[in-house]
Amino acid sequence: MRFTRYCPSDLFKTAFLPLCAFFSILLTGSDAYAVRPFFTDDARIVDHKACHVENGIQVGRDSTEYRMMPGCNFTGNLELTFGAALSSYDGITRTTDVLLQGKTLFKTLETNGWGGGVSVGNSLDPRIHHTAIGNLYINVPMSFSLFDDRIVTHTNLGWLREKEIGRDRMTWGLGAEVKLIERFWLIAETFGRNYGKPFYHVGFRYALIPGHAEIDTAYGDRFGHNTREQWVVVGLRLVSLPFLP
C-alpha cells in the first residue's frame, strides 16, 4: 500500500529534482495510463519497458512521512516496485518502510470492461524487523470501467502476515475515480483489515501531462470520532514512455 505523488516542499524539490528532470525527458506522447487510488490498488501495470515513480508526502497530527516508490515493467506482464518511506516524528527522521512488490495481470482492463491481477510483496520496517523478511502480503485487485472510463472502480481482497505479532489478517479496499472535467478527477476510497474501524480517503487528481504526470491531494481519516488519525497527502506520479532495453 502506497501513498501519493507530489513534491510540494523545498525538501522534495531537492530530493526529487534530478528524478523529475530525468522523467521530463521521457514524458512525451499521449498514451492513456490512469493512476490508481492511494491504498486500494488497481488492475493496471505500467507499459512494457516503461517505468513510473510515486513521490509523496503525508502530514498527520504528530508525524510527517516522505515516500518514493519507483516501479518498472521489464517483461511485459510483471511490474516490479522497490521503494522506501521516511517518517519524521519529534524532530527525528527514520526509515519506517522498505517495500518490494511484484504485480501481474490475468486480464487487462479495457474501456467499459474489467480487469484483474495479483500482487505479492514484502513490507519491511527496519525498526521492528531485523531480517530481510517483514510483513508478507498477497492482494487481488479488480477494476471496472463504466461510461467510457468516466468512472473506474476498484476492489481489493488480500492476505497479510503481520510478522511482529505472528497473525494473519484479511485486507480489503474499495475505490473509485470519477472524471469531473477534462484532466480533473474526484478520487475516493475506503480500506481496512478484518478488525478495527476502516479508513477513508477523499480528494482530487489533476493531469499535468495526461497519462504521464498527475498531481493528487486528499484528506484521510479513520471512521469514528476522536481517532486523532487524520492526515493530508499530496503527491506526484510520473510515468515514462518505454525506454528499457
Side-chain angles (χ1 to χ4, degrees):
M1 294 181 177
R2 292 163 282 179
F3 290 108
T4 48
R5 308 142 285 261
Y6 185 43
C7 307
S9 66
D10 292 338
L11 173 62
F12 265 66
K13 290 176 183 177
T14 301
F16 299 138
L17 184 59
L19 182 65
C20 294
F22 169 71
F23 268 86
S24 68
I25 299 173
L26 301 173
L27 298 179
T28 57
S30 59
D31 296 338
Y33 185 91
V35 302
R36 60 171 181 80
F38 304 131
F39 283 94
T40 305
D41 204 357
D42 62 359
R44 305 182 183 109
I45 58 175
V46 71
D47 289 340
H48 184 205
K49 296 186 178 181
C51 293
H52 70 129
V53 64
E54 298 175 3
N55 307 312
I57 180 171
Q58 172 176 309
V59 180
R61 284 178 174 266
D62 303 314
S63 65
T64 300
E65 182 178 81
Y66 311 96
R67 184 169 289 247
M68 177 184 283
M69 291 289 169
C72 295
N73 182 352
F74 296 94
T75 68
N77 192 24
L78 179 61
E79 180 183 289
L80 296 176
T81 298
F82 179 74
L86 300 176
S87 293
S88 179
Y89 182 81
D90 285 342
I92 301 175
T93 301
R94 298 184 178 90
T95 301
T96 53
D97 188 22
V98 178
L99 178 77
L100 176 62
Q101 175 183 279
K103 182 167 76 168
T104 187
L105 303 180
F106 55 80
K107 187 179 189 304
T108 302
L109 177 64
E110 299 177 350
T111 300
N112 297 322
W114 67 277
V118 178
S119 61
V120 178
N122 177 29
S123 179
L124 178 69
D125 186 340
R127 300 170 304 170
I128 301 172
H129 307 128
H130 303 294
T131 66
I133 303 299
N135 295 333
L136 302 177
Y137 65 89
I138 299 174
N139 187 45
V140 179
M142 303 283 288
S143 298
F144 304 87
S145 168
L146 305 169
F147 307 109
D148 298 327
D149 289 338
R150 295 195 66 85
I151 300 177
V152 182
T153 64
H154 311 285
T155 66
N156 284 189
L157 187 63
W159 163 86
L160 169 69
R161 176 66 175 179
E162 293 184 326
K163 181 179 179 180
E164 58 270 25
I165 60 176
R167 291 185 179 179
D168 297 322
R169 303 293 192 186
M170 182 191 76
T171 59
W172 61 271
L174 299 172
E177 308 166 33
V178 181
K179 188 174 183 179
L180 301 177
I181 58 175
E182 192 66 26
R183 298 194 181 195
F184 196 69
W185 286 265
L186 168 70
I187 49 180
E189 67 166 342
T190 180
F191 56 94
R193 302 177 183 177
N194 61 331
Y195 72 96
K197 295 180 179 179
F199 298 89
Y200 66 87
H201 260 139
V202 179
F204 297 97
R205 173 176 298 138
Y206 179 73
L208 295 169
I209 304 175
H212 295 287
E214 297 180 328
I215 294 175
D216 294 338
T217 183
Y219 170 83
D221 197 0
R222 186 192 291 267
F223 285 102
H225 299 290
N226 301 319
T227 64
R228 296 189 59 83
E229 296 182 65
Q230 299 93 339
W231 65 87
V232 175
V233 288
V234 184
L236 172 68
R237 184 172 188 267
L238 304 172
V239 182
S240 78
L241 289 175
F243 72 99
L244 296 171

